[in-house]
């Protein structure tokens, strides 16, 4: 019965799923591009002596997602921001190196 209801509105579940899959591919591409640009900004900011992140900028982004998507938008924004920050470089002691300096 469900497929008849969907047929009446002009699409099938399979067609809708194909569209969702195509949208997912586009979103993944957008997130990859966003991540690359974010890394460029972080590198420039740290090479200029600044911090990797600017909390006021992140708040603006979170607020935008909440305004468009409701409270759940905050979770999505935080996940995207976290993904785009990347991993912090490991200290030399964690990366397998020893302490730096003369003993």
């Amino acid at each position: 019965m469900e497929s008849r209801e969907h047929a009446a509105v002009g699409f099938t579940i399979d067609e809708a799923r194909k569209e969702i899959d195509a949208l997912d591919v586009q979103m993944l591409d957008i997130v990859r591009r966003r991540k690359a640009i974010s890394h460029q900004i972080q590198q420039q900011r740290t090479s200029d002596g600044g911090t990797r992140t600017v909390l006021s900028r992140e708040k603006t982004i979170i607020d935008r997602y909440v305004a468009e998507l409701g409270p759940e938008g905050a979770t999505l924004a935080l996940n995207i921001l976290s993904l785009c920050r990347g991993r912090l470089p490991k200290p030399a002691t964690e990366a397998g190196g020893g302490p730096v300096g003369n003993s």
Side-chain angles (χ1 to χ4, degrees), residues 9-80:
V9 295
F11 69 90
T12 67
I13 291 174
D14 286 341
E15 290 169 337
R17 286 181 176 157
K18 286 179 185 176
E19 187 171 351
I20 286 173
D21 291 344
L23 290 168
D24 284 342
V25 168
Q26 290 176 26
M27 288 190 298
L28 290 167
D29 183 50
I30 289 168
V31 170
R32 276 191 294 271
R33 289 180 8 219
R34 189 192 192 290
K35 186 175 180 179
I37 293 167
S38 180
H39 284 198
Q40 290 173 353
I41 292 168
Q42 291 173 51
Q43 287 175 345
Q44 183 64 47
R45 206 171 30 241
T46 56
S47 71
D48 290 345
T51 60
R52 276 184 359 126
T53 59
V54 176
L55 296 180
S56 61
R57 170 71 178 150
E58 290 194 356
K59 175 149 179 23
T60 299
I61 293 167
I62 294 166
D63 290 346
R64 180 182 314 134
Y65 277 70
V66 170
E68 290 293 324
L69 303 173
E72 295 85 3
T75 302
L76 178 59
L78 288 166
N79 283 322
I80 290 170

